[in-house]
Amino acid sequence: MEKESQTIFDRNVIEFVTVAAEFCKYVEQAEGTRRATFVDTMLKILPLLYLKATLLPPCEPMGDEEPEHYVTEETYEVLRLTLASILAERDDYLDVFVEDMKYSDQPITRYISEDLADIYQDVKDFIFVFSLGLNQTMHDALAICQENFRLYWGQKLVNTLRALHETRYTQSEDENDEDGTEADTDFYDEPDREPLH
């Protein structure tokens, strides 16, 4: 009992809970956010979430029963659709780090909105159980979240980060084109200046 308390109140666990809660809160309240703002925020919070997940102390489930789930199919789908509408035509990306690639010579299309909703589902379920304040279920929820990170959502996070990076840095060029402004690429041209001899 003392060991489980030491684990769940470890500084790295508390920091992970804090970042995970911020991630969940942001995506839950993302509706109406401009794509550029959303992408920029995700590029800041996802690496932090990944880092904090890697620093979690190792732990194994203690109970036989799986902790409660908070995220329903309906909640998941509403969130996914909200994120898809924010990302619009930038939602899909090609992924090569997929099990199905063994059987295909074509890249697999993935969706940032779906990946973020998958990450949200695992992290929110963990946060929900952790907030109940029962040591054993907190410990088990942490062990499950950690295992899911290792096997499942950690890879989704880094794949999504790559897609978001591309969106962020090609988005700037697209937005400049839409605004009618062009990047100043002729900064070497200085008309009306005599060469120095």
Side-chain angles (χ1 to χ4, degrees), residues 59-117:
C59 65
E60 298 291 326
M62 301 175 80
D64 296 331
E65 293 181 26
E66 197 170 302
E68 286 183 64
H69 292 283
Y70 173 82
V71 181
T72 63
E73 283 184 39
E74 184 182 345
T75 305
Y76 174 94
E77 193 59 20
V78 167
L79 182 78
R80 188 192 66 74
L81 290 171
T82 300
L83 301 182
S85 71
I86 292 169
L87 293 159
E89 76 279 358
R90 297 294 193 147
D91 191 23
D92 62 324
Y93 69 97
L94 298 178
D95 190 5
V96 292
F97 293 104
V98 184
E99 189 68 24
D100 298 344
M101 277 298 290
K102 291 180 192 174
Y103 313 107
S104 171
D105 57 354
Q106 299 294 315
I108 309 291
T109 300
R110 292 286 185 222
Y111 298 91
I112 297 171
S113 58
E114 190 175 322
D115 288 349
L116 290 176

Side-chain angles (χ1 to χ4, degrees), residues 15 19 40 50 56 62 66 79 117 122 134 137 161:
E15 288 178 3
V19 174
D40 204 44
Y50 187 90
L56 289 171
M62 301 175 80
E66 197 170 302
L79 182 78
D122 268 352
L134 304 169
T137 53
L161 201 54

